[in-house]
Amino acid sequence: MIYQRLKEANVNALKNHDTVARSILSVILNKVKLAEIEKRAQNAELTDADVTAVLQKTLKELAEEKDAFEKAGRSDNVKTLSAQMEFVSAFLPKMMSQQEIKTEILKLDDKSVPSVMKHFKANFAGKCDMRDVQAVLKFL
């Protein structure tokens, strides 16, 4: 489970005095903990897809923050954020290629847009970009 790997990485960052990893891990672990509390309130378990969504959102926020620092000319902050983005990316699952998406769509009986999108959200959440699914579906 991704959540467990994040916890282990946090312990290793503490032991190695890795401040870059430690700072981003504390943010991610707090966000995941909040997501876990929300899930528990709905009588559901936290899944890898939920953790992946948190990681993707955090990566997007870091990219936006990095762009702002680049515009402001703060190269030290840009370098730190780049390292954090690289660190977060390591925990994300490998994204499906368009060919893999096409193969999966061809396996389905119902190839209507709502049915395909529902299938990918249910089975491949966090492992594929829904815009890629839509693009592949458009050309089938």
Side-chain angles (χ1 to χ4, degrees):
M1 188 171 184
I2 298 171
Y3 187 39
Q4 190 61 37
R5 285 181 37 218
L6 287 167
K7 286 180 179 179
E8 290 168 6
N10 188 42
V11 170
N12 288 335
L14 281 169
K15 286 180 182 177
N16 298 331
H17 303 287
D18 186 350
T19 57
V20 173
R22 180 69 185 100
S23 63
I24 193 61
L25 279 168
S26 63
V27 170
I28 292 170
L29 288 172
N30 285 333
K31 289 181 179 185
V32 170
K33 196 64 167 166
L34 288 173
E36 184 179 32
I37 291 168
E38 286 178 25
K39 283 288 194 175
R40 208 176 305 139
Q42 300 168 357
N43 292 325
E45 289 290 318
L46 185 72
T47 63
D48 273 352
D50 298 323
V51 177
T52 301
V54 169
L55 288 171
Q56 288 172 333
K57 184 177 179 186
T58 303
L59 197 59
K60 183 179 176 185
E61 290 169 355
L62 287 171
E64 290 170 358
E65 194 174 344
K66 180 182 165 191
D67 289 341
F69 279 123
E70 283 175 344
K71 290 177 185 172
R74 305 272 313 266
S75 61
D76 53 331
N77 293 58
V78 171
K79 195 162 58 170
T80 302
L81 288 171
S82 294
Q84 288 178 346
M85 288 172 66
E86 197 173 307
F87 188 80
V88 172
S89 296
F91 288 97
L92 288 172
K94 180 183 171 286
M95 298 299 269
M96 292 177 75
S97 69
Q98 288 192 347
Q99 184 58 44
E100 291 171 323
I101 292 170
K102 182 179 179 181
T103 304
E104 187 64 31
I105 291 173
L106 293 174
K107 291 179 189 175
L108 299 175
D109 295 329
D110 183 8
K111 292 175 181 58
S112 66
V113 174
S115 174
V116 170
M117 297 304 264
K118 186 175 183 180
H119 172 75
F120 275 88
K121 280 186 181 178
N123 299 312
F124 300 102
K127 296 178 183 165
C128 67
D129 188 343
M130 296 309 283
R131 289 176 292 207
D132 287 344
V133 174
Q134 199 168 20
V136 169
L137 190 57
K138 186 187 282 187
F139 292 108
L140 288 179

